[in-house]
């Protein structure tokens, strides 16, 4: 049971990093990205390709970040022409195109079978390897949180929020919205790819099933339930959602429910949780602290 | 100061809304753009400001070609202040924070000096500088957005219907403030307005638009006294003496 707890907490930390990435885009800047999972996938496949080509595993990180940066810049470029809702649909479509391409490509990505055999971090530290990995993920989550906090409290963070609140007014004050969008997409894409890199070396397997669009909506539910534009809140949302989903099988066993219940209950947790919070607590568990020229 | 020649502009792939407009405005001058709804007043101002890129024609500010320069660059590099019609303040920020957003490029001491001067100029804002802008009335918001545009010391001020949604009393206050800016700062002010008589009361010259073209241009005082103009474009019957 303790190992299971370590496992769930490890995954929650990585989802927390992803939630922070989405929060920079959607929460603080108003960029409604439904294709976040593709940026995460750049990190997972960066790790897998480095491993498959016999490179040092750490080289998978810059490779993944470079791919995510390119994709993030492409998303940002689309944002110049498309309004917010159409941009969201476009990012979802691009993420699906990438996933389907990966599924149908064999030589580089291993197709639907994916790529396995990636090195597990701290494998030599058994039986304490799980705790060592969790410690690393906690440190990474804390550092990413600190970085995001500093960013959103900076002058640039204020410009992100002005763009979210009144984009045309922000332009009339000299803010270059294209530049803000580009920088936010670059930074958040790198964060998402970092999470993907760690995830790939945690599961030691990478496949297109990890990039399905419901994963994006799971991250969205973490952000909305935790508190849009509140970095502490989205981490809380990630842990809450991850633990709620992980413990569904135990509830099934306790109540002697059929196995189908697990998948259905997880969907209900994500969809129902999103709906409930949007209806009754749209600002989430930890609402944004609004106002202040220091970007809070 | 502002020179626009043969401007054609529209949105997306749609038809031209402006079909060959030319206008000019100088320093120490308020030029107002009037006309019925849908004649292209706001599109013209947005084109000159840089929100809409003209399909043909040229725009110069002080002799510099700015035809293809977007709004954010005009504000930063060409000393332009723009006051939008609606959604003109950041409601979650305080009055002081809103004003200081317009002074990002200034040194700290200069910023403080100009902020203090604006507080003297607009005592209604000074008393509420720590309040959230969302708590202000429509007229106060308009004054706030004017103050924010002024803090950077622009040479050109573009105003999009500054009296929109204001009570008559507040409208007078806003127009008085605009007139005072022209007199004290000596800047070039281009203003789109629906309230033609109020606008002509403070303006030096006016352009009357109709169907995307300049139907008439004249001194504001001449337009006010022209009965035919009042009847055609200004709702003359209402104000006829």
């Amino acid at each position: 049971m303790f190992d299971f707890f370590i496992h769930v907490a490890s995954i929650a930390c990585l989802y927390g990093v992803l939630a922070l990435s989405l929060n920079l885009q959607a929460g603080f800047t108003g960029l409604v990205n439904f294709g976040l999972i593709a940026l995460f996938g750049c990190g997972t496949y960066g790790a897998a390709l480095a491993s498959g080509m016999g490179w040092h595993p750490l080289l998978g990180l810059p490779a993944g970040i470079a791919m995510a940066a390119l994709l993030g810049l492409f998303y940002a470029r689309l944002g110049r022409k498309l309004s917010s809702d159409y941009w969201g649909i476009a990012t979802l479509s691009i993420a699906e195109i990438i996933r389907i391409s990966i599924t149908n490509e064999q030589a580089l990505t291993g197709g639907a079978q994916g790529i396995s055999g990636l090195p597990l971090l701290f494998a030599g530290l058994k039986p304490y390897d799980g705790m060592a990995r969790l410690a690393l993920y906690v440190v990474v989550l804390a550092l990413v949180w600190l970085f995001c906090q500093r960013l959103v409290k900076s002058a640039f963070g204020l410009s992100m929020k002005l763009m979210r609140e009144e984009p045309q007014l922000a332009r009339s004050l000299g803010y270059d919205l294209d530049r803000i969008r580009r920088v936010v997409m670059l930074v958040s894409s790198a964060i998402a790819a970092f999470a993907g890199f760690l995830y790939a070396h945690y599961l030691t397997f990478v496949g297109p099933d990890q990039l399905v669009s419901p994963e994006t909506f799971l991250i969205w539910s973490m952000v909305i339930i935790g508190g849009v534009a509140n970095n502490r809140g989205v981490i809380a949302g990630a842990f809450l959602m991850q633990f709620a989903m992980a413990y569904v099988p135990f509830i099934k066993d306790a109540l002697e429910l059929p196995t189908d219940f697990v998948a259905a209950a997880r969907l209900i947790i994500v969809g129902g949780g999103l709906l409930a919070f949007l209806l009754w607590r749209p600002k989430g568990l930890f609402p944004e602290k609004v106002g202040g020229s220091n970007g809070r | 100061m502002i020179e626009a020649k043969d401007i054609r502009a529209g949105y997306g792939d749609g038809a031209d809304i402006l079909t060959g407009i030319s206008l000019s405005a100088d320093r120490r001058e308020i030029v107002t753009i009037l006309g019925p709804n849908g004649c292209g007043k706001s599109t013209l101002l947005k084109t000159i400001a840089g929100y809409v890129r003209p399909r043909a024609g040229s725009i110069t500010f002080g002799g510099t070609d700015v035809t293809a320069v977007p709004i954010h660059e005009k504000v930063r590099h060409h000393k332009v202040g723009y006051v939008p019609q609606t959604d003109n303040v950041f409601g979650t920020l305080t009055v002081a924070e809103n004003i200081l957003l317009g002074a990002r490029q200034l040194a700290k001491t200069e910023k403080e000096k100009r902020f203090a001067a604006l507080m003297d100029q607009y005592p209604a804002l000074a008393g509420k500088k720590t309040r959230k802008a969302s708590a202000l009335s429509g007229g106060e918001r308009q004054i706030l957005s004017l103050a924010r545009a002024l803090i950077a010391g622009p040479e050109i001020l573009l105003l999009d219907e500054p009296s929109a949604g204001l009570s008559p009393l507040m409208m007078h206050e806003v127009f008085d403030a605009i007139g005072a800016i022209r007199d004290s700062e000596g800047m070039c002010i281009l203003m789109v307005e629906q309230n033609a008589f109020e606008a002509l009361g403070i303006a030096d010259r006016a352009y009357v638009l109709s169907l995307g073209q300049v139907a008439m241009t004249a001194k504001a005082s001449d337009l006010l006294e022209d009965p035919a103009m009042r009847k055609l474009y200004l709702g003359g019957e209402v104000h006829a003496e």
Side-chain angles (χ1 to χ4, degrees):
Chain A
M1 193 66 180
F2 181 68
D3 285 346
F4 183 70
F5 173 83
I6 296 285
H7 165 71
V8 176
S10 298
I11 297 290
C13 284
L14 297 180
Y15 274 122
V17 174
L18 258 183
L20 287 169
S21 165
L22 181 62
N23 203 32
L24 285 182
Q25 296 171 16
F28 289 101
T29 322
L31 300 171
V32 182
N33 182 2
F34 292 135
L36 179 81
I37 203 67
L39 300 169
F40 173 79
C42 289
T44 60
Y45 275 90
L49 293 176
S51 176
M53 291 181 176
W55 300 349
H56 189 281
L58 275 180
L59 286 176
L61 182 58
I65 288 176
M67 287 193 288
L70 284 175
L71 181 58
L73 284 175
F74 181 55
Y75 280 171
R77 176 83 189 171
L78 285 175
R80 292 179 67 172
K81 291 283 179 190
L82 300 174
S83 60
S84 175
D85 39 4
Y86 286 102
W87 187 75
I89 294 166
T91 55
L92 177 63
S93 308
I94 292 164
E96 279 298 285
I97 289 168
I98 289 170
R99 185 184 64 80
I100 292 166
S101 302
I102 287 171
T103 308
N104 289 286
E105 200 281 335
Q106 286 292 330
L108 210 57
T109 65
Q113 302 300 317
I115 298 171
S116 56
L118 274 70
L120 178 68
L121 292 174
F122 306 126
L125 294 181
K126 279 190 185 328
Y128 304 109
D129 57 327
M131 288 181 69
R133 279 189 294 275
L134 177 59
L136 171 70
Y137 300 152
V138 168
V139 169
V140 167
L141 179 61
L143 289 176
V144 172
W145 173 80
L146 198 62
F147 171 78
C148 291
Q149 282 292 97
R150 293 193 69 144
L151 182 70
V152 301
K153 287 184 177 180
S154 68
F156 183 78
L158 177 63
S159 71
M160 289 161 63
K161 283 182 265 190
L162 298 182
M163 176 175 165
R164 177 193 66 185
E165 288 186 22
E166 297 289 353
Q168 296 310 317
L169 181 55
R171 286 182 73 194
S172 78
L173 291 170
Y175 288 98
D176 181 350
L177 303 193
D178 290 336
R179 180 180 163 272
I180 296 170
R181 191 184 295 110
R182 268 198 313 273
V183 173
V184 169
M185 287 308 299
L186 269 177
V187 169
S188 58
S189 298
I191 292 172
F194 192 18
F197 172 81
L198 292 174
Y199 189 82
H201 281 289
Y202 179 71
L203 291 191
T204 70
F205 165 75
V206 167
D209 289 349
Q210 295 163 349
L211 308 183
V212 291
S213 52
E215 288 293 314
T216 289
F217 293 106
L218 172 62
I219 312 302
W220 267 96
S221 71
M222 292 168 175
V223 170
I224 289 170
I225 289 170
V228 175
N230 184 317
N231 287 327
R232 207 172 29 152
V234 302
I235 292 175
F239 274 80
L240 183 70
M241 290 300 289
Q242 194 53 39
F243 273 89
M245 301 227 302
Y247 281 86
V248 166
F250 296 94
I251 296 168
K252 180 212 72 167
D253 291 343
L255 300 175
E256 296 180 353
L257 294 165
T259 309
D260 293 349
F261 170 82
V262 174
R266 283 178 172 159
L267 283 174
I268 289 168
I269 287 172
V270 174
L274 264 176
L275 194 61
F277 271 79
L278 285 173
L279 283 173
W280 293 302
R281 202 177 165 91
K283 291 181 178 174
L285 293 170
F286 297 91
E288 177 187 13
K289 290 173 186 167
V290 292
S293 57
N294 64 351
R296 276 172 298 179
Chain B
M1 190 80 208
I2 299 175
E3 190 84 42
K5 282 185 187 165
D6 302 323
I7 296 295
R8 303 182 79 88
Y11 298 99
D13 298 329
D16 285 351
I17 293 171
L18 308 178
T19 55
I21 285 185
S22 297
L23 66 71
S24 65
D26 292 322
R27 283 180 206 278
R28 288 193 182 281
E29 188 178 43
I30 297 178
V31 172
T32 185
I33 303 168
L34 308 171
N37 281 334
C39 69
K41 298 186 300 290
S42 284
T43 304
L44 177 57
L45 195 75
K46 285 190 168 83
T47 306
I48 291 169
Y51 278 112
V52 178
R53 192 166 176 167
R55 292 169 179 167
S58 66
I59 301 164
T60 58
F61 288 173
T64 307
D65 186 6
V66 292
T67 311
V69 178
I71 174 82
H72 65 270
E73 283 185 26
K74 282 197 177 106
V75 170
R76 292 174 75 162
H77 305 302
H78 296 278
K79 296 203 165 219
V80 173
Y82 178 83
V83 178
Q85 182 186 145
T86 53
D87 301 327
N88 49 12
V89 297
F90 292 101
T92 55
L93 301 183
T94 64
V95 168
E97 287 165 346
N98 261 282
I99 293 173
L100 290 169
L101 283 177
R104 289 183 301 130
Q105 295 174 79
L106 302 178
K108 195 181 172 193
T109 47
E110 184 65 16
K111 202 185 284 189
E112 285 168 356
K113 198 173 110 189
R114 292 197 190 183
F115 181 76
L118 282 170
M119 291 296 99
D120 290 342
Q121 198 173 338
Y122 302 114
L125 293 181
K128 296 179 176 177
K129 63 183 178 187
T130 56
R131 286 206 199 158
K132 290 272 190 274
S134 56
L136 300 183
S137 69
E140 288 170 331
R141 286 180 191 210
Q142 200 59 257
I143 298 284
L144 169 57
S145 59
L146 266 178
R148 189 183 50 215
L150 292 178
I151 194 168
E155 292 176 354
I156 294 172
L157 190 58
L158 306 174
L159 307 174
D160 192 359
E161 297 206 26
S163 74
L166 301 185
S167 67
L169 188 65
M170 282 312 303
M171 191 162 67
H172 282 300
E173 275 190 36
V174 168
F175 279 121
D176 286 348
I178 295 168
I181 291 166
R182 183 256 328 265
D183 298 337
S184 63
E185 312 281 336
M187 64 182 67
C188 167
I189 300 176
L190 188 61
M191 172 174 71
V192 162
E193 243 317 316
Q194 283 278 10
N195 292 296
F197 276 90
E198 295 289 343
L200 290 171
I202 61 160
D204 299 285
R205 289 191 298 121
Y207 288 84
V208 182
L209 303 193
S210 176
L211 299 172
Q213 290 188 318
V214 176
M216 176 170 280
T217 177
K219 280 186 177 177
S221 53
D222 292 348
L223 272 181
L224 271 172
E225 287 167 11
D226 184 336
M229 276 305 304
R230 288 205 295 212
K231 188 164 185 178
L232 273 173
Y233 296 110
L234 310 179
E237 292 87 349
V238 178
H239 292 272
E241 289 163 18

